Amino acid sequence: NIMKKGQSALEFLMTYGWAILIIIIVVGVAYAMGLTQPCKWVGTQISQFSDFKIENPKFTVTPSSLAFDMASPKQTVSVTTISVSGDGTGNTVSPALPKNQGTTAARYTVTLSSVKPAANTCYSADVVISYSISVAGGLENYTSAGKLSGVAT
């Protein structure tokens, strides 16, 4: 009678052991395929920019840079600085600033002094654009902040 109880307990443990082993293998395969990184599912995200239309961001690990197309759909502005923080930091921009920016998109590249993510992993960068607008009597200074995220290359 004790042998039957021992055998059923062993069968119970073996069944759960195999189930746990299969779960561990499935999770390991999902992690190895990169399925645990949400940016690979949702793609590039652009949020919170006011006064600018930002498109086609590309975060490059080597050489370290963040490039994007930017246009000011409402009016012509003079961009004075673009600074990046988060998974990459920097504020050296090409083409050199200031640059008058209107409705036609221009490609800006910010050289990053430090980069946290590796290639093919998720990045998140906070971007602050400082600019001025000509008004009667001089210039008015503004900032526009937003977030870019996606897969680093």
Side-chain angles (χ1 to χ4, degrees), residues 24-62:
I24 290 171
I25 290 171
V26 168
V27 168
V29 168
Y31 181 79
M33 293 175 60
L35 300 177
T36 57
Q37 296 181 4
C39 66
K40 292 188 177 181
W41 293 91
V42 298
T44 302
Q45 299 291 306
I46 302 168
S47 62
Q48 302 172 354
F49 287 96
S50 60
D51 298 326
F52 290 99
K53 182 178 180 184
I54 306 293
E55 295 179 322
N56 305 319
K58 183 173 182 180
F59 191 100
T60 307
V61 174
T62 306

Side-chain angles (χ1 to χ4, degrees), residues 8 13 37 39 41 45 56 59 64 71 84 107 109 131:
S8 69
L13 290 174
Q37 296 181 4
C39 66
W41 293 91
Q45 299 291 306
N56 305 319
F59 191 100
S64 303
V84 177
R107 187 89 174 153
T109 302
Y131 62 98

